[in-house]
Amino acid sequence: MGERKGGLELSRPVDQLEDNENWVNDSSLDHKGRVPLRASTGAWKASFFIIAIEFSERLSYFGIATSLIIYLTKVIHEDLKTAAKSVNYWSGVTTLMPLLGGFIADSYLGRFSTVFASTIIYLMGLLLLTMSWFIPSLKACDHGETCQEPRKIHEVIFFLAIYLLSIGTGGHKPALESFGADQFDEENPKERKQKMSYFNWWNFGLCSGLLIGVTVIVYLQDRVSWGVADIVLTMVMAISLVIFIVGRPVYRYRRPVGSPLTPMLQVLVAAIRKRKLPYPSNPAYHLYEAPKFEKSQGRLLCHTKKLKFLDKAAIIEDIGNSAEKENPWRLATVTKVEEMKLVLNMIPIWVATLPFGISIAQSSTFFIKQGVTLNRKIANGFEVPPASIYALAAIGMIVSVTLYEKLLVPFLRRMTGNERGINILQRIGIGMFFSIVTMVVAALVERKRLENVRQNAATNVSEPMSVFWLAPQFLIVGFGDGFALVGLQEYFYDQVPDSMRSLGIAFYLSVIGAANFLSSLLITVVDHVTGKSGKSWFGKDLNGSRLDKFYWLLAAMVGVNLCFYVLLARRYSYKNVQKFAVADCYEGDHDDHASSMA
């Protein structure tokens, strides 16, 4: 029988394990609870299984999400403003639920188990959607979509089903993406570089699922039936669950470490208790850090000069008092203090990305509804389903991610010598700039569409513009998402404490969720303000609305916010992991900003 390291069974002696490239050096385990071999676990061989289930989940999500406003207006018969709010509320809940799911994954269930349980819940929602279309007593009405007042039972079952999808997504999204990133060992230079590529190819798989969801699935909804589309989605999700389980032997796992909020509370309590202590003149000798060999989860962090009040939690009051070191409510390690600082420093960045989220929220509501009013016929009279226009955003994102990964990053690596090319916050800022361009283009196109409507009314002619007038704004949305959304995923995964990786992905998703709620609030406020003049920007239909003015408002909001974001990004200090002697961390305290990023 092999020896043990930290309670883990090894198949080789410990002295052959240290610094051996054959073994994974982080805190991962294989499926049998052993230190994993590098050649047989993790990296791309495991990530492909994980990206496969993400593909199917995004196929289902976008197949439903992009058509939701059409279903609500055509089948449930909600007016445009109510339907847009319903979509925003659902999208908001769906993208805020990962905060709970990420917490459960990091603290209690672990990421693999959370993904498995969430996928089961997701399947329940898809089955319920299918039943609501085929079981006679649950149908909207006896004559398909021709009735003007659907049964209440259908509405109840429909909303129950889509909110089950929200719960499933809440555990699925944060745990799955972070589980995929866990397959790469950050202590290994080759795998660390692969992890940077992982987020790009993750989004490539995501967009591929999105693309099929808004074309094939939406076509089935539009030309066959919503029920047939639901059957396809249910089958694909069930197959992907089997694929995910098949990959179990090659995954690397991280054990849940309990609530990540408790250590932060301990830091705060210890800092308050020691608030009257003077700040040490030499932090290297007066701040406590656990010996490096004692770490069981995560990595040790270097001390920084920001938020000095929290440093008092790590001041050793009595060097000879071992009891103090055993009480985390009285004495915190430098790493725990720095982890608290990391989370606090992320809050302004999170807030600064909300206007960007509000702008992209329009692509799944008003952009789609605009397509309904336009001429969607192409060669041989084929009519493009309205929600399929969203495929252009997926194409834009695929092109963006591919160009970034294959051309821009290699070029910048050669120019700067930095393995990342550009830092994460710069990438997000570029995406935010594209969102401004999107809103400007959308405003110009909507103004052109309204002029076309007025001309047709004056001449008593019905010649709507081509739907491909919307192509530029969708393509730019996708191109910007390839920078901003991918950057946000990497930022929130990389910069949170190691024990909060699933919650980190949830923080990224919560940007979109909170932005959807804020979008609904903004619509309500703008409708109220503009309605006082007798002409609200949001009429009963698009032709009686002024979405162009709303888009100009969003462009201005994001533009002003981008200036605020740039100031934050320039002052931001990235996570700094201990690589050598602890004393090296205190030379200048590594308080340089973007240059400090590993």
Side-chain angles (χ1 to χ4, degrees):
M1 182 175 292
E3 299 186 39
R4 301 181 71 85
K5 177 186 178 184
L8 306 177
E9 183 178 340
L10 308 177
S11 56
R12 290 191 182 184
V14 175
D15 59 356
Q16 295 182 26
L17 176 65
E18 299 298 335
D19 301 321
N20 193 323
E21 280 295 307
N22 294 328
W23 299 88
V24 178
N25 296 319
D26 60 16
S27 55
S28 298
L29 308 174
D30 66 10
H31 71 294
K32 293 184 178 180
R34 304 171 303 186
V35 175
L37 273 167
R38 191 179 304 282
S40 59
T41 62
W44 291 117
K45 70 178 71 65
S47 295
F48 288 135
F49 288 99
I50 295 167
I51 291 174
I53 194 170
E54 171 65 6
F55 167 85
S56 65
E57 192 275 334
R58 292 292 90 180
L59 169 71
S60 300
Y61 176 81
F62 282 102
I64 292 168
T66 51
S67 297
L68 187 55
I69 193 167
I70 297 172
Y71 192 94
L72 292 173
T73 52
K74 283 190 173 182
V75 180
I76 307 296
H77 298 290
E78 292 183 347
D79 59 57
L80 176 63
K81 183 169 63 179
T82 303
K85 288 182 179 179
S86 295
V87 173
N88 283 329
Y89 289 143
W90 177 74
S91 299
V93 170
T94 303
T95 43
L96 284 177
M97 280 298 296
L99 289 171
L100 177 60
F103 177 81
I104 292 172
D106 285 339
S107 306
Y108 303 110
L109 284 185
R111 287 156 196 164
F112 177 87
S113 299
T114 301
V115 172
F116 179 79
S118 300
T119 306
I120 297 297
I121 295 172
Y122 209 111
L123 274 170
M124 291 170 58
L126 290 173
L127 284 170
L128 207 54
L129 276 179
T130 306
M131 292 166 58
S132 72
W133 193 260
F134 287 107
I135 295 179
S137 60
L138 301 181
K139 287 184 177 181
C141 54
D142 293 330
H143 304 288
E145 299 181 8
T146 58
C147 62
Q148 295 301 311
E149 189 68 33
R151 292 189 179 106
K152 283 295 179 183
I153 185 63
H154 179 80
E155 290 187 57
V156 170
I157 295 298
F158 175 79
F159 281 106
L160 176 61
I162 63 173
Y163 278 98
L164 275 175
L165 299 184
S166 296
I167 296 172
T169 302
H172 196 282
K173 284 296 291 177
L176 186 64
E177 186 168 358
S178 56
F179 185 56
D182 287 346
Q183 306 308 309
F184 300 91
D185 181 5
E186 292 184 2
E187 302 297 324
N188 179 270
K190 181 180 178 181
E191 291 196 14
R192 185 170 63 248
K193 186 176 289 188
Q194 289 175 339
K195 180 182 281 191
M196 298 176 195
S197 297
Y198 160 76
F199 286 101
N200 292 321
W201 292 113
W202 167 273
N203 282 277
F204 185 92
L206 181 156
C207 288
S208 299
L210 187 161
L211 190 60
I212 296 176
V214 300
T215 52
V216 176
I217 300 303
V218 167
Y219 178 83
L220 290 175
Q221 292 168 343
D222 190 64
R223 296 302 181 89
V224 184
S225 81
W226 297 87
V228 170
D230 292 338
I231 291 175
V232 173
L233 294 178
T234 305
M235 292 176 61
V236 170
M237 182 58 72
I239 292 170
S240 71
L241 179 59
V242 174
I243 293 173
F244 180 68
I245 295 172
V246 167
R248 187 170 178 267
V250 300
Y251 298 145
R252 297 173 187 169
Y253 303 83
R254 301 287 181 91
R255 285 177 174 167
V257 294
S259 172
L261 303 180
T262 302
M264 292 189 212
L265 184 59
Q266 289 170 342
V267 169
L268 185 60
V269 170
I272 292 174
R273 280 179 168 178
K274 300 178 181 180
R275 64 189 180 278
K276 295 182 180 180
L277 292 179
Y279 188 80
S281 58
N282 193 334
Y285 293 101
H286 293 89
L287 298 183
Y288 172 65
E289 180 62 281
K292 201 165 187 176
F293 63 82
E294 288 186 10
K295 67 170 184 171
S296 59
Q297 290 287 341
R299 298 163 292 169
L300 302 184
L301 302 180
C302 287
H303 175 257
T304 62
K305 291 181 179 179
K306 289 189 173 182
L307 300 171
K308 287 186 177 181
F309 169 76
L310 295 175
D311 287 341
K312 293 187 177 183
I315 295 176
I316 304 174
E317 294 181 276
D318 185 356
I319 296 177
N321 186 358
S322 60
E324 180 186 11
K325 295 181 180 180
E326 295 174 359
N327 185 354
W329 296 94
R330 293 197 61 87
L331 180 65
T333 64
V334 169
T335 291
K336 294 301 180 186
V337 171
E338 291 302 319
E339 288 179 345
M340 178 74 164
K341 291 180 183 180
L342 284 175
V343 175
L344 293 177
N345 283 331
M346 296 175 86
I347 293 174
I349 298 294
W350 186 88
V351 172
T353 55
L354 289 175
F356 161 76
I358 294 173
S359 69
I360 65 171
Q362 313 315 312
S363 59
S364 60
T365 53
F366 291 134
F367 284 14
I368 298 294
K369 197 61 181 176
Q370 281 176 278
V372 177
T373 69
L374 300 178
N375 179 11
R376 292 177 279 113
K377 291 183 179 179
I378 54 177
N380 300 322
F382 176 78
E383 190 171 63
V384 178
S388 292
I389 309 166
Y390 200 89
L392 295 172
I395 293 171
M397 192 170 182
I398 290 173
V399 171
S400 174
V401 168
T402 304
L403 291 177
Y404 181 85
E405 173 70 18
K406 294 299 183 181
L407 297 179
L408 184 59
V409 169
F411 171 76
L412 291 173
R413 281 173 178 166
R414 290 193 299 269
M415 292 292 292
T416 65
N418 187 328
E419 67 178 357
R420 192 177 292 276
I422 59 175
N423 69 50
I424 306 175
L425 293 181
Q426 288 173 340
R427 182 175 187 174
I428 296 170
I430 293 170
M432 293 172 70
F433 173 77
F434 276 113
S435 71
I436 300 173
V437 178
T438 300
M439 290 297 105
V440 171
V441 171
L444 295 174
V445 171
E446 177 62 8
R447 180 68 179 269
K448 175 70 176 176
R449 191 192 69 82
L450 290 173
E451 289 177 356
N452 179 262
V453 169
R454 285 193 291 269
Q455 289 174 2
N456 288 343
T459 58
N460 201 23
V461 175
S462 178
E463 292 184 3
M465 293 164 45
S466 169
V467 73
F468 289 104
W469 277 86
L470 298 179
Q473 65 200 61
F474 275 105
L475 287 171
I476 299 171
V477 163
F479 206 82
D481 286 353
F483 283 89
L485 290 185
V486 180
L488 283 168
Q489 291 169 23
E490 188 174 359
Y491 169 74
F492 283 108
Y493 175 87
D494 186 72
Q495 292 301 301
V496 295
D498 290 355
S499 61
M500 295 176 60
R501 287 305 181 45
S502 296
L503 264 177
I505 298 298
F507 291 154
Y508 140 69
L509 293 167
S510 70
V511 170
I512 311 302
N516 277 285
F517 283 116
L518 289 174
S519 179
S520 292
L521 178 62
L522 185 62
I523 290 171
T524 301
V525 172
V526 170
D527 180 53
H528 177 74
V529 172
T530 57
K532 289 181 178 179
S533 63
K535 184 61 177 177
S536 171
W537 289 359
F538 304 101
K540 290 186 176 180
D541 56 48
L542 280 184
N543 294 339
S545 303
R546 290 305 304 268
L547 289 185
D548 56 327
K549 293 184 177 180
F550 183 61
Y551 294 154
W552 281 117
L553 173 64
L554 289 176
M557 287 174 55
V558 180
V560 171
N561 178 74
L562 181 58
C563 298
F564 171 63
Y565 172 83
V566 170
L567 291 176
L568 291 175
R570 288 174 64 87
R571 295 174 56 83
Y572 187 82
S573 296
Y574 291 92
K575 179 194 290 186
N576 201 323
V577 179
Q578 287 187 20
K579 291 182 172 62
F580 304 106
V582 175
D584 293 339
C585 285
Y586 291 89
E587 295 180 6
D589 271 325
H590 292 266
D591 203 27
D592 47 330
H593 305 299
S595 61
S596 70
M597 181 157 185

